[in-house]
Amino acid sequence: MKQQYHQSERFTPDKELQACGLFGVMDTSGKCFGGEMAINAIKNMKVRGNGLGGGFGVYGLYPDYKEYYALHIMYQDKNQAAKRLVEEYLKQNFYVVYDEEIPTDPGVNVFQPPLVWRYFVSPTHRKGAEDTMTDDEYVVSKVMFVNINIEDAYVFSSGKNVGVFKGVGFPEEIAAYFMLDKLYQGYIWTVHSRFPTNTPGWWGGAHPFGILDWTVVHNGEISSYGTNRRFLEMHDYYCTLYTDTEVVAYAVDLLMRKQGLPIEIVSRIFAPPLWDAIKLMSEKDKKLYTALRTVYAPLLLNGPFTVIVAHHNEMIGLTDRIRLRPLTAGAKGDLVFLSSEEGSIRAVCPDLDLVWTPPGGEPVVVRLNSKDHLLSTNKSI
Amino acid sequence: MQIKFGYRDNFLCEIRPTGELCSEYMCVDCGKAVIDAQNLKHKEVNDLCREAMLNDVTDITINNVFGQRYIGTRLYNPDKRPPVTITINKFPGNDLGVFLDGHRIIVNGNAQDGVGNTMNDGEIVVHGRAGDVVAMAMRGGKIFIRDNVGYRCAIHMKEFRDKLPVLVIGGTAQDFMGEYMAGGVVVMLGLNLKDGEPHRANYIGTGMHGGVIYLRGHVEPHQLGKEVGVRELDEKDWRTVQTHVHEYCRHFDKDPAPILTGRFIKLLPVSRRPYGNIYAY
Amino acid sequence: MYSYQLPEFIIDRAEDRCIRCRVCERQCANQVHSYDVELDKMFSGEKDCVGCQRCVVMCPTLALNVRPRTSDYRPNASWTRDKMQNLKKQAETGGVVLTGSGNDKPYRIYWDHLVLNASQVTNPSIDPLREPMELKTYLGRKPDAVKVTRGEDGFDVETESFPNVPLKTPLVFSAMSYGAISYPAYLSLAAAAKETGILFNTGEGGLPEHMRREYGGNAIVQCASGRFGVDADYLNSSQIVEIKIGQGAKPGIGGHLPGEKVLANISETRMIPIGTDALSPAPQHDIYSIEDLSMLIYALKEATNYEKPVSVKIAAVHNVAAIASGIVRAGADIVAIDGIRGGTGAAPLATRDNVGIPMELALAAVDKRLREEGIRHKCSIMAAGGIRCSADAIKAIALGADGVYIGTAALIAMGCTLCQKCYTGKCNWGITTQNPFLIKRLNPELTTRRLVNLIKSWSHEIQEMLGGMGINAIESLRGNRDHLRGVGLEEWELNVLGVKGAGE
């Protein structure tokens, strides 16, 4: 694919159109729970998807292997040659502790399922210059390699103690196929119901999209995708999965992991305040926001969006700065919910302690063992 | 990847016939009907409402509503039947009362986006908060929201002669309130704001070229669109505000006196042709 | 500010023919001609002339000749006269340059590069004058299959069918709102649609109440971003409800009705104050994503009790195929695609000329994509934007359209000469104006006759060409690109259109 890019920008793959329903739930005390809440909530929002995509991101599901990177890899059309190549590659570059096919329910009928395999690996076996890389860097570069160079093989998720299950079908069908309500418990569940218009049968296109332990579910269309993608390419992130959500995941990885910026700043990069509002701020704030907007201008996400970004210990909900897509947050006890519609939160938890909707560009940050999510209620309705 | 996937209908799939639903989910008793909407799809709930109306029911109660949409829309009937009152318990979905034409809807819970979207006549009362684009393109009738509302409420509201839509909000709103208003009355009371705390909305009334917003509380000038002017209320305005506040209090069991002592301002458009100068003819 | 612009037209008057009848003076809404009593001479002030040719046509002795001044500045292929004049206009006003009607720039017209087949020897032509030639079309969603049960006296159809609307011929009048065009023009479209058994589109302006009973049966009503005139009665009096997302002349922005045209009647139908500009907002504020479009489609279906098909009108833009696929999956029964040559009453010049793609390519791409996904039968495709003759219409159908919207062609039939000044409200032909003096010039009965003649003549021509191809029912041509060949097109264009080169 790198060759394709060199030939001409004319041949870059088109990103798909999609629209969706989102839901996320986190237990801030770290207690793990099963998937019924997530599945029932997304079923309530069935009309937001069109049955051509659904997916789940689960955190804390592999307590026995939590020190190892769990790679969920999909082989399109059950291509065995691709599988062999990938396994060769993994053996050369990682210490593979354990691997197996992700268990699926044979009774559930889904459309053309690919082969989905999970590998628990540790990043040893490094050569030469790679010694200086951090573990995370190493894993990212290897994942990029698999996505770009090995035909028919795509990595769904590559984090420690994190798993992404997704595919073509209504989300409840995907949940039944992967037996999510029976087999897994997690302290963060994010779900996505997709409404794509392109290339059905492409399991890799569903959300959540993940890199390391970042998973992103996204509702909306990023009209600045071309700009964002070209900026990220300069930083060695290649968008190969035909969806605009990729730029969000890679941008979050770049800003939060590589450049160490906190989430409050990152949300202000994705959804910055308008220049009219910056004019009225204090000198200190003016300096900060002007710096962010000028340096990170290519990462401004334009277009309607609601994203739920999750990684270990945090789940973050963010909408675009003029709130063209909805997001409602709810809390009851230790559980915090984020969803496209209040009705779906109520369907799984009818009596909430608190329900609020933050303004555009204001993140709701749900952190482990804290009440930080309540900070966003100040400006919310 | 040239695989033909065909079409999956997410809205109309597995809709059960109305006859079957009637016996299980609805019970009708001399002009009143009670529907249990637990696990019913959007169209099924509305099929039952229409069935009830065609059987001369004028009072429908729907329980266990979790996100069902378009409630109140399917009741258009050119035979001029008497208006129906629908009481919704729990949480209706988007587009509550979209294109509503003369009926009454009462919600005991929070509403979502699109309440009274393009409503022509009737009344909607929400005992809770509502979401975005409440009263969008509303042309007549009344909407009362007890608590707060979201973005772009009363956007492009319209009026003509005696057809005057009214939106009364008990709490506050988010950005773009009254965007592009062409007519109608909005009363925003800010009852849950602290003393001296300004309303939080920005770009209030941007593009306004008709209608009026009565605001109780405080806004900074930079929060208003450039087409908006601020005025004090006159006799006629006070009478209008009092009428609407009294009606609001009747619905939500509140005392109008402390509300009416608050400071009210009137927001109205300063020009009828705010865009007259941007084109070169 | 003193204007530096040059006049756009030259008026030549043959003095020996001019009989000083002063018809030209009375007919010109821009007050170009005037009569000097003392000198007994007609004077023409060219600065205000817009080249509408009304005076030329009405002059009893054909003494006038109005022609464009094209080459006043030194010839410059880059800085053309148009560009320079518009620049000067902007310098004088600081405003956005407005214009009317469709794109006039020399983008390639694919209709002129496609040729049709005719039957010879192996397959007989069919004589359209004597043998039946069926043009009847149904618009709407079709079910996957028809299930029948054998009954006592034949077969009973079990499948519940979706609402479908019949057309006697696959031509439909395009959306022109009451407000953009005058009342007689609007009424003529409605009456002509009723007489010829086709449909007309109310556009954004609503359908006046007194017309609903008589013409509602031939109306496509629009629910546009301004929601002007939309109530449950309006929706239920129509045959099809159309959601307007965009139009080809100005993709991405909303409708413009300058305040000059918002007089009493318009104010009543649209419910806005007299004299205000009716600028429809660009997006529909409850549709910010495709699942929201699905929400509005079903809201309209609920409001009309699932009895009417819902259509979605979009402008042809870059990834129109994916958008159309999304629209069909969102529940729409008809998709209308408006190309870059679509007309309008008012649009910013920059948007009209530069935004959008040609309708031919969009149509071919959409038809192909919907078939690839197996959902082509779930919708009917209407093509709009620059259909100039029946040959264009038949080529559109061969590329995959179910029907064709004609806008500019209908206006030309009514008398329009594309002077592109619709937004000023001074249309000399009485079509795009609300001025009561000018409107009187348009007689609804005669105008209806003109439109009916247009539809009849085009239908006959289509029948002739169909017969020539050996087809006697229009549905056999729909999407049948084998009957088209391209002439003078590049490789990629032939690929997008899905058509072979002539001789291949």
Side-chain angles (χ1 to χ4, degrees):
Chain A
M1 193 175 270
K2 264 198 195 141
Q3 283 154 333
Q4 241 186 345
Y5 284 7
H6 285 288
Q7 186 179 11
S8 165
E9 288 209 2
R10 187 174 174 207
F11 299 110
T12 48
D14 249 337
K15 72 171 168 77
E16 283 192 33
L17 281 188
Q18 58 201 340
C20 339
L22 309 177
F23 183 80
V25 56
M26 176 169 175
D27 187 324
T28 50
S29 67
K31 196 163 59 123
C32 289
F33 51 91
E36 300 82 31
M37 267 200 291
I39 297 172
N40 288 332
I42 203 74
K43 244 166 73 174
N44 182 286
M45 295 198 285
K46 186 166 185 158
V47 286
R48 294 186 80 100
N50 68 351
L52 294 186
F56 293 78
V58 190
Y59 285 77
L61 72 168
Y62 297 130
D64 299 331
Y65 290 98
K66 62 178 182 219
E67 296 306 313
Y68 301 104
Y69 289 88
L71 301 177
H72 285 200
I73 303 188
M74 158 188 120
Y75 300 108
Q76 181 77 7
D77 300 324
K78 305 206 187 191
N79 188 334
Q80 291 291 339
K83 183 161 178 290
R84 273 195 298 277
L85 282 172
V86 169
E87 288 179 353
E88 265 290 317
Y89 184 74
L90 290 179
K91 259 207 283 275
Q92 280 171 3
N93 290 290
F94 294 97
Y95 168 51
V96 181
V97 173
Y98 179 61
D99 69 89
E100 64 174 355
E101 186 182 349
I102 297 186
T104 57
D105 184 341
V108 174
N109 199 0
V110 278
F111 184 78
Q112 298 255 352
L115 188 57
V116 193
W117 209 271
R118 58 185 170 200
Y119 303 84
F120 296 96
V121 304
S122 154
T124 54
H125 300 218
R126 305 193 192 190
K127 313 177 221 2
E130 291 166 353
D131 259 342
T132 52
M133 286 171 132
T134 59
D135 283 354
D136 283 341
E137 284 287 341
Y138 186 77
V139 172
V140 169
S141 68
K142 301 305 169 197
V143 164
M144 288 285 152
F145 185 90
V146 171
N147 280 343
I148 296 173
N149 295 311
I150 302 184
E151 191 88 27
D152 281 346
Y154 296 93
V155 181
F156 277 359
S157 63
S158 47
K160 289 186 187 169
N161 206 2
V162 149
V164 165
F165 304 88
K166 59 187 185 177
V168 173
F170 283 110
E172 56 266 24
E173 292 171 352
I174 304 295
Y177 180 69
F178 286 114
M179 296 185 286
L180 294 180
D181 50 344
K182 297 199 197 71
L183 296 179
Y184 305 102
Q185 301 248 324
Y187 70 100
I188 303 180
W189 287 77
T190 57
V191 195
H192 182 264
S193 168
R194 198 162 171 247
F195 194 141
T197 60
N198 198 355
T199 47
W202 168 225
W203 279 50
H207 299 199
F209 183 77
I211 182 81
L212 295 179
D213 70 341
W214 303 100
T215 57
V216 178
V217 289
H218 162 234
N219 173 7
E221 180 172 344
I222 298 180
S223 43
S224 53
Y225 172 73
T227 310
N228 305 133
R229 181 169 63 81
R230 286 168 172 85
F231 181 77
L232 290 168
E233 277 175 15
M234 287 202 308
H235 294 267
D236 278 328
Y237 291 97
Y238 293 97
C239 294
T240 54
L241 295 192
Y242 306 93
T243 95
D244 46 6
T245 315
E246 276 187 280
V247 297
V248 184
Y250 294 152
V252 162
D253 188 56
L254 172 67
L255 294 170
M256 288 183 73
R257 182 178 62 84
K258 275 201 184 146
Q259 299 190 356
L261 293 167
I263 181 61
E264 290 79 5
I265 298 285
V266 173
S267 62
R268 287 282 174 246
I269 293 173
F270 289 159
L274 297 146
W275 289 115
D276 281 340
I278 295 179
K279 234 185 338 188
L280 302 164
M281 292 180 184
S282 66
E283 280 307 314
K284 185 160 158 242
D285 278 342
K286 243 192 256 202
K287 192 156 172 237
L288 169 68
Y289 289 116
T290 312
L292 288 177
R293 279 199 74 168
T294 45
V295 174
Y296 293 110
L299 284 182
L300 198 174
L301 295 180
N302 224 316
F305 71 83
T306 296
V307 281
I308 300 181
V309 178
H311 66 127
H312 275 296
N313 306 332
E314 267 179 2
M315 178 171 79
I316 302 136
L318 179 67
T319 51
D320 66 272
R321 59 206 190 137
I322 51 174
R323 242 284 283 293
L324 295 171
R325 296 278 78 223
L327 181 72
T328 304
K332 182 174 173 64
D334 284 326
L335 285 175
V336 181
F337 301 90
L338 292 171
S339 170
S340 296
E341 289 183 22
E342 186 186 338
S344 64
I345 307 180
R346 296 282 185 177
V348 297
C349 184
D351 51 343
L352 293 167
D353 295 335
L354 200 58
V355 163
W356 73 103
T357 303
E362 190 69 33
V364 179
V365 183
V366 191
R367 273 199 190 101
L368 211 53
N369 300 322
S370 83
K371 292 279 176 212
D372 285 346
H373 54 276
L374 296 175
L375 289 172
S376 61
T377 56
N378 285 344
K379 305 190 200 148
S380 311
I381 56 148
Chain B
M1 285 187 249
Q2 295 295 314
I3 306 159
K4 240 184 295 298
F5 195 78
Y7 183 81
R8 304 197 76 188
D9 199 328
N10 54 359
F11 193 84
L12 295 175
C13 66
E14 293 164 4
I15 299 283
R16 287 163 286 181
T18 317
E20 194 186 307
L21 295 168
C22 274
S23 45
E24 254 186 82
Y25 291 91
M26 179 159 84
C27 92
V28 184
D29 185 23
C30 33
K32 285 200 209 290
V34 177
I35 301 175
D36 181 10
Q38 186 85 36
N39 293 327
L40 280 186
K41 301 211 170 42
H42 311 267
K43 183 168 189 279
E44 289 171 346
V45 172
N46 290 315
D47 282 338
L48 287 175
C49 286
R50 191 177 177 81
E51 190 62 30
M53 178 190 82
L54 292 172
N55 286 326
D56 298 319
V57 166
T58 51
D59 194 318
I60 304 178
T61 306
I62 317 182
N63 293 322
N64 289 323
V65 181
F66 289 107
Q68 277 88 347
R69 296 178 172 182
Y70 320 124
I71 300 180
T73 303
R74 194 89 73 76
L75 303 176
Y76 171 74
N77 197 295
D79 295 342
K80 304 289 177 236
R81 287 166 178 271
V84 176
T85 302
I86 306 179
T87 309
I88 299 174
N89 290 321
K90 295 285 167 60
F91 309 97
N94 288 348
D95 275 355
L96 174 70
V98 60
F99 303 117
L100 191 68
D101 203 3
H103 306 279
R104 232 174 129 233
I105 302 180
I106 304 173
V107 178
N108 293 319
N110 291 337
Q112 290 184 188
D113 298 340
V115 173
N117 184 349
T118 319
M119 181 169 154
N120 195 39
D121 206 353
E123 191 174 79
I124 302 183
V125 178
V126 177
H127 292 260
R129 64 168 213 165
D132 294 342
V133 294
V134 173
M136 165 176 156
M138 190 177 169
R139 309 153 40 97
K142 300 194 194 154
I143 300 183
F144 295 90
I145 312 281
R146 191 188 70 191
D147 298 334
N148 301 323
V149 292
Y151 275 61
R152 301 185 176 85
C153 294
I155 182 172
H156 214 25
M157 223 172 173
K158 307 176 175 55
E159 73 182 54
F160 188 72
R161 293 211 197 110
D162 54 340
K163 214 169 161 64
L164 190 71
V166 175
L167 170 65
V168 181
I169 302 164
T172 182
Q174 293 183 310
D175 291 357
F176 301 104
M177 224 269 291
E179 178 176 345
Y180 204 40
M181 252 174 105
V185 172
V186 176
V187 180
M188 191 150 88
L189 300 173
L191 294 173
N192 52 1
L193 294 171
K194 298 195 232 346
D195 266 328
E197 189 190 343
H199 286 274
R200 299 180 209 130
N202 289 313
Y203 302 99
I204 299 177
T206 170
M208 197 174 177
H209 53 292
V212 64
I213 301 177
Y214 296 110
L215 207 66
R216 178 178 173 277
H218 182 64
V219 276
E220 301 289 333
H222 67 83
Q223 286 177 265
L224 303 173
K226 54 186 183 332
E227 295 84 5
V228 176
V230 182
R231 302 278 181 275
E232 292 297 321
L233 280 76
D234 62 25
E235 268 294 320
K236 197 156 147 290
D237 292 321
W238 269 118
R239 279 204 296 277
T240 313
V241 169
Q242 271 164 350
T243 321
H244 295 309
V245 170
H246 278 276
E247 210 178 332
Y248 170 87
C249 292
R250 251 203 334 274
H251 286 298
F252 302 118
D253 226 356
K254 289 190 200 259
D255 182 9
I259 303 179
L260 289 168
T261 56
R263 179 178 168 263
F264 276 87
I265 50 172
K266 179 163 96 166
L267 302 176
L268 38 69
V270 289
S271 149
R272 265 200 169 167
R273 272 197 99 169
Y275 304 112
N277 283 335
I278 68 170
Y279 292 109
Y281 284 85
Chain C
M1 215 184 271
Y2 189 76
S3 173
Y4 288 165
Q5 294 171 58
L6 292 171
E8 296 191 9
F9 291 90
I10 301 176
I11 303 176
D12 295 326
R13 185 185 295 270
E15 288 297 334
D16 50 342
R17 287 208 207 163
C18 177
I19 57 173
R20 321 285 189 265
C21 64
R22 297 173 74 176
V23 161
C24 52
E25 188 183 5
R26 282 196 293 279
Q27 291 289 327
C28 182
N30 295 303
Q31 296 164 331
V32 166
H33 303 287
S34 57
Y35 178 65
D36 187 319
V37 183
E38 281 176 17
L39 299 171
D40 185 33
K41 200 160 176 297
M42 297 292 304
F43 284 94
S44 309
E46 282 141 336
K47 249 190 186 310
D48 296 316
C49 178
V50 297
C52 69
Q53 307 290 333
R54 178 89 180 173
C55 53
V56 176
V57 169
M58 291 298 161
C59 174
T61 54
L62 286 178
L64 285 165
N65 181 13
V66 174
R67 54 193 172 85
R69 291 176 85 127
T70 45
S71 47
D72 292 315
Y73 299 113
R74 179 185 270 257
N76 193 322
S78 169
W79 290 94
T80 57
R81 187 183 185 281
D82 261 340
K83 292 258 183 303
M84 289 179 69
Q85 290 277 85
N86 285 324
L87 226 165
K88 288 180 194 293
K89 201 188 271 191
Q90 287 184 302
E92 283 159 25
T93 55
V96 171
V97 179
L98 266 190
T99 180
S101 81
N103 188 339
D104 56 1
K105 300 296 179 288
Y107 289 108
R108 177 167 271 200
I109 303 174
Y110 291 91
W111 303 132
D112 294 338
H113 292 272
L114 289 170
V115 287
L116 292 162
N117 194 14
S119 296
Q120 301 275 279
V121 181
T122 55
N123 183 4
S125 312
I126 302 181
D127 181 354
L129 293 177
R130 283 154 279 271
E131 306 223 4
M133 191 64 65
E134 297 181 311
L135 294 181
K136 190 166 191 187
T137 313
Y138 275 89
L139 295 179
R141 180 172 284 221
K142 321 280 187 289
D144 290 336
V146 175
K147 286 206 185 42
V148 292
T149 47
R150 195 183 284 272
E152 282 172 358
D153 49 346
F155 291 96
D156 295 312
V157 175
E158 258 189 21
T159 327
E160 211 184 283
S161 54
F162 300 96
N164 265 269
V165 171
L167 295 173
K168 280 219 183 107
T169 166
L171 305 167
V172 177
F173 290 125
S174 199
M176 288 181 279
S177 63
Y178 174 39
I181 61 176
S182 62
Y183 184 69
Y186 189 69
L187 188 61
S188 311
L189 286 169
K194 189 167 175 194
E195 193 177 322
T196 49
I198 60 174
L199 301 169
F200 76 102
N201 193 316
T202 63
E204 300 191 51
L207 185 61
E209 279 187 54
H210 61 276
M211 285 174 71
R212 283 182 197 176
R213 203 138 45 100
E214 203 180 340
Y215 299 110
N218 290 85
I220 302 177
V221 292
Q222 254 194 14
C223 177
S225 52
R227 302 279 161 97
F228 295 119
V230 177
D231 59 27
D233 199 41
Y234 165 79
L235 295 172
N236 279 292
S237 60
S238 66
Q239 284 276 53
I240 299 179
V241 181
E242 183 169 83
I243 298 176
K244 179 189 170 187
I245 302 287
Q247 62 178 107
K250 40 194 170 184
I253 61 180
H256 291 65
L257 190 65
E260 279 90 22
K261 286 170 136 185
V262 181
L263 304 177
N265 292 350
I266 310 303
S267 167
E268 177 172 346
T269 320
R270 297 199 184 201
M271 291 179 104
I272 53 174
I274 295 184
T276 50
D277 300 293
L279 300 175
S280 299
Q284 302 225 18
H285 281 289
D286 50 353
I287 304 182
Y288 292 127
S289 185
I290 207 159
E291 74 265 19
D292 289 348
L293 176 64
S294 179
M295 197 159 84
L296 183 63
I297 290 175
Y298 284 108
L300 288 168
K301 288 192 178 178
E302 287 275 330
T304 53
N305 203 17
Y306 294 87
E307 286 164 7
K308 303 183 198 294
V310 172
S311 158
V312 176
K313 177 172 173 182
I314 54 172
V317 291
H318 299 170
N319 49 355
V320 64
I323 298 172
S325 168
I327 289 174
V328 174
R329 289 182 192 283
D333 304 303
I334 302 171
V335 177
I337 309 167
D338 201 1
I340 196 175
R341 291 193 179 273
T344 177
L349 183 74
T351 311
R352 190 199 69 174
D353 290 345
N354 294 298
V355 185
I357 67 173
M359 188 259 290
E360 304 90 308
L361 301 174
L363 175 59
V366 168
D367 177 63
K368 177 160 182 279
R369 170 67 80 81
L370 293 179
R371 275 184 290 121
E372 272 174 5
E373 301 201 359
I375 53 176
R376 177 64 180 86
H377 60 290
K378 294 289 181 195
C379 73
S380 300
I381 303 178
M382 296 291 290
I387 305 282
R388 309 155 299 171
C389 55
S390 53
D392 290 350
I394 207 176
K395 289 170 191 170
I397 295 175
L399 279 180
D402 284 78
V404 158
Y405 269 125
I406 54 175
T408 311
L411 291 177
I412 294 175
M414 289 199 258
C416 172
T417 49
L418 294 182
C419 69
Q420 300 189 21
K421 297 284 184 235
C422 324
Y423 56 92
T424 56
K426 291 196 200 155
C427 174
N428 263 314
W429 296 88
I431 304 172
T432 58
T433 174
Q434 302 300 326
N435 182 329
F437 176 64
L438 297 172
I439 290 178
K440 275 207 240 231
R441 299 179 181 180
L442 208 60
N443 180 326
E445 278 177 24
L446 294 176
T447 317
T448 309
R449 222 28 38 230
R450 285 175 189 269
L451 291 167
V452 167
N453 286 341
L454 172 75
I455 302 290
K456 272 215 293 224
S457 50
W458 282 26
S459 300
H460 276 144
E461 287 181 335
I462 294 177
Q463 283 175 327
E464 292 238 358
M465 286 186 277
L466 271 185
M469 283 188 256
I471 298 177
N472 65 359
I474 192 86
E475 50 252 47
S476 304
L477 184 62
R478 183 176 309 136
N480 195 344
R481 299 175 198 190
D482 295 353
H483 282 292
L484 290 173
R485 288 290 188 272
V487 180
L489 290 174
E490 293 184 34
E491 185 76 25
W492 71 267
E493 287 166 332
L494 288 172
N495 284 337
V496 172
L497 291 170
V499 158
K500 294 201 174 94
E504 277 181 2

